[in-house]
Amino acid sequence: MNKNTLIGLILLVGLFIWSMSLSTNRAKEAQAVAAQKAKTEQSENQRSGALRTPELSPLDTANLVPATLAPAAKTPEVAADSVKDSSVALAPIARQKIKVETEHFTAVFDNRGAKITSVVVKALKDSAGNYPEIIADTTLGALALKVDGVDLSEQMFSVPENTPDFIRVERDTALSFTFQDPNGNKIIRHFAFTPKGVSIQQKIFFEGFKPNDYELLWLGGMKETEEFPKGKSFGGGSYFFSEVVFNDMVGVERETVRDREKFNAETGKMLWAGMRRKYVAAVIKFPEASEATLLAEHFTARGSDSKDPGTYKLTVSDNMNGANSLAFDFMILPLNWQDIKSFDLGFEKIIVSGWSWCGADVWFVALCGFLLWLLKFFYSIIPNYGVGIILITILVRMITTPLTLKQLRSTSAMSKLKPEIDAINVKYRSDPQKKQAAILELYTKNHINPMASCTGGCLPMLIQMPIFFALFMVFGRAIELRGMPFIGWITDLSRSDVIWNGITIPFIMPDGIAILPIVMVFTTYFQTKQSMSSMTDPAQQKMMVWMMPIMMFLFSAVMPSGLVLYWIISNLWGIGQYALVNRARRKANELESGKLKGKNVQDAVIVKKK
């Protein structure tokens, strides 16, 4: 690794980590903006009084009492005569919450608004063995409905008689909620479940009228399932994600919204849209591409951690175009690469995506998937992901070793010609063309390709950097590595290997003292010192030797321990490789100078027999 290669590596690593932390800073700004906006709206509401529900024909809520339907209306069929007269007040409906449990999640439905108020994912146990709630604000919930501008999120829906408060889904099961206005117009929300499915299938039927438009309101946001670091750190927030995600039929977009933003408003179609946190996503998926508009508004849920980048209120809206029904699936997706890729809907790009202009949304995503597959393959042979990381590291370094050796040999050969090159520079200092020609002649005479130093030094880096970034993504985001141990104190390869939280270092080790980052600093120092030993300027050499270890230490303490392990093994390989090459070079120099193991060697003399 020469000087230019090292400088390029430093810039690339710094740029990447800076870009990862940028989204966190933007989210924090959005959090402040949203808080100020909420405060302003609250004061305005206090001055103007309660908000009024708009009255839009043909759906009429103006004459409804706080609860809409009489108990007799709990059956799917309602006598026409009983609802024709809009002057007849409807009796109250009792509040009911219904919990539905499948193999993959537990959801709670509230007949006030016929919305989901809780979703617990059965894939992300915490240290106490509990599954996490993913709705950030359960009072607001998800999938409330507006029809022709009429907000039904607080209106009472009836449920069929004898509907239990708890349903365990052991076979295909359905749950229905019915809203009816005094004119007899009805909205029936039909939720369906399968025992092994990850979806809540939703069908909405409109009877007595045809709406012009609809809005799905996911106002409760999405809650982070993982524990946030205790203190501030360099780049620590980049390992936690709060993003709006959607498939616009061109690619999968991951957006960090700062305040309020619309997507797909003018042109284009959308197949699914939703939110993701670190290890889980939830999306609204349409049966086919829809022209729906997605509105995202950043907000901070009550009781959120101060380091939480916040979440979003989503509104999905579209015209009904004369239809009298609406269908979609609400999919709850723990971000297991293999599972979500099997849907063939681009869900794996929720975990990692890439720039489309260079095709990285295809090849880089495929590289991440391949590395994860390779890691799991090694795990199937030796059930330890830490060992798998070491094997991947060795494989990567083996691939790049021939190019690295070529670069080292070329650099060594060119260093021997330095006195002659200096002489040429002095001799032809006033004639650049002759100087260039003389240097090229010198290289040709000694069978040296000056381009080999560049191709041998840059090409290994260009090969390794996408792999390094891919591993960065895999170790920081893939649910497969969550809670997976390596050895001893390394109990979770997706988090820092803290051994003692009694002492913390602000911004560097906010959770406590970790071992692997310290080991990485030493290995980075020795490898950099080796590669910089050929530099003639001592001041520049000293700066380069210390710059890389210090920079990596600032960021590595909060890196996933699996990624730091990869870097350490890669450094050790480089140190050993350089030592072997340097040893072979010394032997060659001794032979050329007429010495072998410190002893003079004379040329053999051929003696002919007489």
Side-chain angles (χ1 to χ4, degrees):
M1 184 184 292
N2 57 25
K3 179 182 69 174
N4 293 333
T5 302
L6 184 61
I7 293 174
L9 179 62
I10 292 173
L11 292 175
L12 282 172
V13 173
L15 178 62
F16 180 74
I17 297 177
W18 172 79
S19 66
M20 292 295 296
S21 60
L22 184 61
S23 62
T24 303
N25 295 333
R26 288 180 175 176
K28 290 181 179 178
E29 294 177 8
Q31 182 176 345
V33 171
Q36 181 62 34
K37 182 177 179 181
K39 185 176 180 180
T40 303
E41 289 179 349
Q42 182 179 5
S43 61
E44 290 178 353
N45 291 340
Q46 288 174 350
R47 290 193 301 268
S48 61
L51 295 176
R52 294 187 178 91
T53 301
E55 299 177 12
L56 264 180
S57 179
L59 188 63
D60 181 14
T61 60
N63 297 320
L64 296 182
V65 293
T68 54
L69 295 180
K74 286 188 175 182
T75 57
E77 299 294 332
V78 180
D81 295 339
S82 65
V83 295
K84 290 294 184 181
D85 184 4
S86 61
S87 64
V88 178
L90 301 178
I93 298 175
R95 181 87 175 270
Q96 185 175 4
K97 291 187 177 182
I98 303 165
K99 179 184 290 188
V100 179
E101 182 176 1
T102 73
E103 291 187 11
H104 293 284
F105 61 85
T106 299
V108 176
F109 295 82
D110 191 342
N111 70 330
R112 176 180 286 177
K115 57 181 178 283
I116 302 173
T117 58
S118 170
V119 176
V120 174
V121 181
K122 292 184 173 182
L124 300 166
K125 280 186 179 181
D126 60 18
S127 58
N130 301 317
Y131 294 115
E133 170 68 57
I134 66 169
I135 301 295
D137 190 333
T138 56
T139 59
L140 296 175
L143 302 190
L145 184 65
K146 270 188 179 182
V147 179
D148 290 339
V150 178
D151 188 351
L152 302 175
S153 60
E154 296 300 318
Q155 297 295 328
M156 298 298 292
F157 284 67
S158 66
V159 295
E161 291 183 358
N162 302 320
T163 299
D165 292 336
F166 175 75
I167 300 173
R168 187 184 301 277
V169 178
E170 297 177 346
R171 59 182 182 274
D172 291 359
T173 305
L175 179 63
S176 293
F177 297 87
T178 302
F179 169 83
Q180 180 175 324
D181 73 359
N183 295 323
N185 300 318
K186 296 195 329 186
I187 298 175
I188 302 171
R189 303 196 65 175
H190 186 83
F191 298 92
F193 315 88
T194 59
K196 298 182 180 296
V198 299
S199 300
I200 300 174
Q201 302 169 28
Q202 164 81 134
K203 290 185 179 180
I204 305 175
F205 300 96
F206 304 95
E207 296 184 2
F209 73 107
K210 287 187 177 181
N212 297 314
D213 55 65
Y214 73 89
E215 294 179 41
L216 292 174
L217 310 176
W218 182 355
L219 303 181
M222 196 167 188
K223 187 178 181 181
E224 178 56 70
T225 63
E226 307 302 302
E227 182 181 356
F228 288 95
K230 295 179 180 178
K232 295 182 178 180
S233 61
F234 291 103
S238 62
Y239 301 100
F240 294 88
F241 306 93
S242 179
E243 296 173 332
V244 177
V245 294
F246 57 93
N247 185 332
D248 61 1
M249 306 304 294
V250 176
V252 174
E253 301 294 332
R254 297 170 37 231
E255 301 286 345
T256 301
V257 178
R258 302 183 65 178
D259 183 16
R260 182 184 174 95
E261 191 170 351
K262 278 188 177 182
F263 303 97
N264 210 49
E266 302 297 332
T267 59
K269 294 187 176 182
M270 187 166 55
L271 184 59
W272 51 260
M275 286 182 275
R276 67 80 55 97
R277 298 307 295 248
K278 184 173 183 178
Y279 288 130
V280 65
V283 301
I284 297 169
K285 186 191 78 67
F286 298 98
E288 57 186 16
S290 169
E291 295 182 352
T293 297
L294 174 64
L295 172 65
E297 181 178 359
H298 184 274
F299 85 105
T300 302
R302 292 174 296 179
S304 297
D305 191 288
S306 60
K307 301 172 194 64
D308 191 334
T311 183
Y312 307 97
K313 297 179 180 181
L314 296 188
T315 301
V316 177
S317 59
D318 197 9
N319 297 322
M320 290 297 296
N321 297 318
N324 59 3
S325 65
L326 173 67
F328 61 88
D329 289 349
F330 186 59
M331 305 185 70
I332 299 131
L333 303 169
L335 296 178
N336 181 299
W337 188 290
Q338 184 176 355
D339 291 345
I340 61 178
K341 185 175 174 58
S342 65
F343 290 102
D344 196 26
L345 294 170
F347 288 145
E348 69 276 10
K349 294 182 181 180
I350 296 175
I351 302 176
V352 57
S353 56
W355 292 314
S356 59
W357 63 267
C358 61
D361 57 334
V362 177
W363 65 261
F364 184 71
V365 173
L367 175 61
C368 291
F370 172 74
L371 287 173
L372 185 56
W373 174 87
L374 189 61
L375 189 64
K376 295 174 75 172
F377 171 75
F378 288 142
Y379 181 81
S380 67
I381 300 173
I382 304 174
N384 188 305
Y385 277 113
V387 175
I389 292 169
I390 294 173
L391 294 176
I392 288 180
T393 307
I394 293 173
L395 181 61
V396 170
R397 294 309 300 253
M398 286 177 65
I399 293 172
T400 59
T401 289
L403 295 172
T404 304
L405 291 176
K406 185 177 181 181
Q407 182 265 335
L408 291 174
R409 293 191 185 102
S410 178
T411 302
S412 175
M414 292 178 67
S415 65
K416 293 179 183 179
L417 300 178
K418 188 177 184 304
E420 297 181 57
I421 293 175
D422 290 341
I424 292 173
N425 287 331
V426 173
K427 183 177 180 180
Y428 299 106
R429 60 180 176 270
S430 60
D431 194 338
Q433 293 183 350
K434 288 186 177 181
K435 180 173 68 174
Q436 186 68 24
I439 292 175
L440 289 176
E441 183 181 355
L442 180 64
Y443 286 152
T444 303
K445 181 180 177 180
N446 290 272
H447 307 288
I448 294 175
N449 178 12
M451 295 302 296
S453 178
C454 178
T455 58
C458 298
L459 194 55
M461 183 185 70
L462 292 176
I463 292 175
Q464 290 185 75
M465 290 308 293
I467 297 175
F468 173 78
F469 291 156
L471 289 172
F472 185 97
M473 301 293 187
V474 168
F475 298 151
R477 304 183 182 192
I479 195 175
E480 289 88 346
L481 294 180
R482 182 179 184 264
M484 289 295 168
F486 175 36
I487 56 171
W489 75 98
I490 306 175
T491 58
D492 189 345
L493 287 166
S494 67
R495 301 183 70 91
S496 181
D497 64 313
V498 175
I499 61 166
W500 187 32
N501 54 18
I503 296 179
T504 61
I505 305 176
F507 295 100
I508 299 177
M509 291 186 174
D511 283 345
I513 302 299
I515 296 298
L516 288 182
I518 298 173
V519 176
M520 192 191 72
V521 166
F522 280 102
T523 57
T524 303
Y525 170 80
F526 285 114
Q527 187 187 32
T528 308
K529 188 173 183 180
Q530 283 180 334
S531 61
M532 295 292 104
S533 59
S534 60
M535 295 180 64
T536 56
D537 187 348
Q540 189 179 20
Q541 178 182 349
K542 185 176 181 180
M543 180 191 69
M544 296 300 297
V545 165
W546 285 104
M547 181 185 297
M548 190 68 171
I550 291 174
M551 188 191 73
M552 292 308 302
F553 182 65
L554 291 176
F555 293 105
S556 65
V558 292
M559 282 184 179
S561 54
L563 182 61
V564 183
L565 178 63
Y566 163 78
W567 192 273
I568 290 172
I569 301 302
S570 183
N571 285 347
L572 293 174
W573 180 282
I575 292 170
Q577 179 178 261
Y578 187 90
L580 291 174
V581 171
N582 199 38
R583 180 182 176 185
R585 184 174 59 188
R586 285 198 304 268
K587 286 186 177 181
N589 291 339
E590 289 176 354
L591 289 173
E592 290 178 4
S593 62
K595 294 182 178 182
L596 182 61
K597 293 184 179 180
K599 298 180 181 180
N600 291 331
V601 178
Q602 296 179 350
D603 294 336
V605 178
I606 300 175
V607 180
K608 296 182 179 180
K609 292 183 179 180
K610 295 181 179 179

